[in-house]
């Protein structure tokens, strides 16, 4: 979808397929809006009768901001839906997902963060820091595994030489803790725009502590994971508008890079804040670059989890941990192998649920506190236009 507009822009009607959200701090109905393409079976009707690569192309044109993740997840879902029951799903090489997720993080950091801090940027975002960056913000031709690996190696070298001025592994060792990262951002704010944004946000973001209830449907235990995903898929098929306002087990959950499966190996009891949610995006960009180093050990759990499972004849669920969180695709094929129905559950709909953690946090703010509302919007990072209502 289109990139988010400046936080104080005037809201438009909710009558386009792409949709938008408006945040209304200090009011019980603190999130207004939706993404119409996901409701009332519209996406299924749009894709009905399509096959193979045509499905991926259509989804890429609908979900332009995260097109690579939708295309790859669609390919997984279709391959498993067409395969034999019990057959192992295809295992796509992770490098393409890594490089495109890193690109999405760079795009959000470079373009969206400054838009939510207009007081820091008189005219336009400062992009000089991206000079010589090996990942252009605009996605070009799809890379093969070798080209993706080369791009990640180049990204790591660029970050080490031009941005961090030390090895990515050394930087991560020293700056994973929220306080250590805050000190680094303050020290680097004058020369590095992402650090300037984070340093500007840190005081208010540290004080904003929405309740954390992560969407933990993926699990290192394959049996438990399969059970949870089947339960979620059943709910998705029984509720036509589930994709627009998803809940699971009767509750609202949040979804973002801070809720990755791999993070549950090292979870602490430290409270999560808007600051930890914001900074996770910067940290994951560095982690992806570090994972490309020859000596890096990724451990038992994937850096970004992806997979698919067959649910019945011609029916499958596929998933992908992408830049904004966990993406789910469900497909039902007809007897001829064409799409009969198709549903997508994207991270934004979890996070911008009208009864979710973000909505509750916004409702407790003073109506005039647009800075805190804008900070929360940046932390939860919608993939559609998101504006803030002025008091």
């Amino acid at each position: 979808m289109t990139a988010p507009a400046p936080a104080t822009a005037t809201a438009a009607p909710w009558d386009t397929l792409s949709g938008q959200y408006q945040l209304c701090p200090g009011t019980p109905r603190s999130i207004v809006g939706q993404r119409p393409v996901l409701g009332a079976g519209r996406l299924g009707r749009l894709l009905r009768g399509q096959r193979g690569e045509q499905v991926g192309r259509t989804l890429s044109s609908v979900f332009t901001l995260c097109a690579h993740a939708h295309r790859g997840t669609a390919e997984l879902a279709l391959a498993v839906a067409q395969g034999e029951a019990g057959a192992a799903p295809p295992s796509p090489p992770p490098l393409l997902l890594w490089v495109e997720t890193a690109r999405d993080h760079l795009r959000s950091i470079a373009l969206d963060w400054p838009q939510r801090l207009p007081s820091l940027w008189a005219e336009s975002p400062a992009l000089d820091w991206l000079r010589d960056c090996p990942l252009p913000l605009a996605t070009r031709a799809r890379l093969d595994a070798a080209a993706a690996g080369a791009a990640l190696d180049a990204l790591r070298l660029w970050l080490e030489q031009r941005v961090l001025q030390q090895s990515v592994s050394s930087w991560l060792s020293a700056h994973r803790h929220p306080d250590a990262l805050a000190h680094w951002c303050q020290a680097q704010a004058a020369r590095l725009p992402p650090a300037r944004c984070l340093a500007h946000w840190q005081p208010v973001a540290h004080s904003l502590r929405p309740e954390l209830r992560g969407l933990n449907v993926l699990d290192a235990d394959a049996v438990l994971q399969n059970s949870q995903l089947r339960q979620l898929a059943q709910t998705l098929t029984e509720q036509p508008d589930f994709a627009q306002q998803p809940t699971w087990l009767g509750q609202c959950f949040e979804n973002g890079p801070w809720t990755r499966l791999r993070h549950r190996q090292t979870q602490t009891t430290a409270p999560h804040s808007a600051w930890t949610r914001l900074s996770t995006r910067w940290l994951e960009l560095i982690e992806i670059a570090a994972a490309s180093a020859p000596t890096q050990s990724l451990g038992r759990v994937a850096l970004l989890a992806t997979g698919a499972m067959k649910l019945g004849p011609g029916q499958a669920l596929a998933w992908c941990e992408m830049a904004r969180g966990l993406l789910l695709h469900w497909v039902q094929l007809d007897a001829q192998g064409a799409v009969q129905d198709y549903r997508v559950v994207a991270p934004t709909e979890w996070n911008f649920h009208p009864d979710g953690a973000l909505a509750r946090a916004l409702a407790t703010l003073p109506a005039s506190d647009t800075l805190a509302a804008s900070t929360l919007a940046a932390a939860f990072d919608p993939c559609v236009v998101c504006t803030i209502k002025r008091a």
Side-chain angles (χ1 to χ4, degrees), residues 69-237:
H70 285 277
R71 184 172 56 241
T73 309
E75 289 172 356
L76 268 176
L78 292 171
V80 173
Q82 292 165 343
E84 295 295 328
S91 180
L95 296 180
L96 179 60
L97 178 60
W98 293 1
V99 74
E100 293 298 347
T101 300
R103 191 196 312 275
D104 285 345
H105 283 319
L106 273 171
R107 185 187 299 117
S108 179
I109 289 165
L111 301 179
D112 299 345
W113 284 8
Q115 288 186 12
R116 300 211 176 273
L117 288 170
S119 61
L120 288 187
W121 316 98
E123 296 179 359
S124 61
L127 298 179
D128 286 349
W129 70 280
L130 286 173
R131 185 179 304 150
D132 302 327
C133 178
L135 292 187
L137 298 186
T139 304
R140 295 178 181 172
R142 195 174 188 186
L143 304 176
D144 59 24
L152 286 168
D153 288 339
L155 174 67
R156 174 168 50 83
L157 291 174
W158 174 77
L159 284 168
E160 291 177 339
Q161 296 170 5
R162 294 292 303 270
V163 179
L164 305 177
Q165 299 174 346
Q166 61 180 302
S167 73
V168 287
S169 58
S170 296
W171 188 93
L172 285 168
S173 296
H175 299 101
R176 285 188 184 278
H177 191 277
D179 291 342
L181 179 58
H183 289 310
W184 181 84
C185 290
Q186 292 287 349
Q188 303 297 322
R191 75 168 187 91
L192 188 62
R196 193 178 317 157
C197 289
L198 287 170
H200 187 85
W201 271 318
Q202 197 274 338
V204 64
H206 180 70
S207 67
L208 295 169
R209 302 198 172 185
E211 176 189 3
L212 176 65
R213 186 181 291 132
L215 179 66
N216 295 337
V217 295
L218 300 186
D219 200 275
D221 181 333
V223 174
L224 177 59
Q225 174 173 290
N226 287 348
S227 173
Q228 293 182 154
L229 287 170
R230 285 184 180 278
Q231 186 176 6
L232 186 62
Q234 182 177 354
T235 305
L236 171 63
T237 57

Side-chain angles (χ1 to χ4, degrees), residues 255-386:
N255 190 356
W258 56 93
T259 65
R260 301 289 195 216
L261 174 57
R262 73 177 191 275
H263 291 330
R264 270 171 269 155
Q265 294 182 323
T266 56
Q267 276 184 337
T268 67
T269 57
H272 275 266
S273 65
W275 170 247
T276 56
R277 290 166 171 89
L278 270 167
S279 59
T280 296
R281 302 184 190 283
W282 177 255
L283 287 168
E284 185 165 272
L285 171 65
I286 312 303
E287 288 170 343
I288 290 172
S292 71
T295 58
Q296 179 69 26
S297 174
L298 297 178
R300 188 165 61 89
V301 177
L303 179 67
L304 297 171
T306 185
M309 62 188 302
K310 196 173 184 71
L311 299 170
Q315 185 183 130
L317 180 74
W319 60 90
C320 166
E321 287 187 327
M322 36 82 85
R324 287 175 169 82
L326 179 65
L327 175 67
L328 297 163
H329 280 215
W330 173 90
V331 63
Q332 176 67 63
L333 303 178
D334 62 22
Q336 288 71 46
V339 171
Q340 179 177 313
D341 196 5
Y342 205 105
R343 301 181 192 182
V344 166
V345 188
T348 292
E349 278 62 40
W350 293 100
N351 291 340
F352 284 72
H353 193 289
D355 295 322
L358 172 60
R360 293 192 296 272
L362 287 165
T364 65
L365 296 176
S368 60
D369 196 348
T370 55
L371 174 59
S374 180
T375 303
L376 287 167
F380 285 88
D381 193 24
C383 60
V384 298
V385 171
C386 178

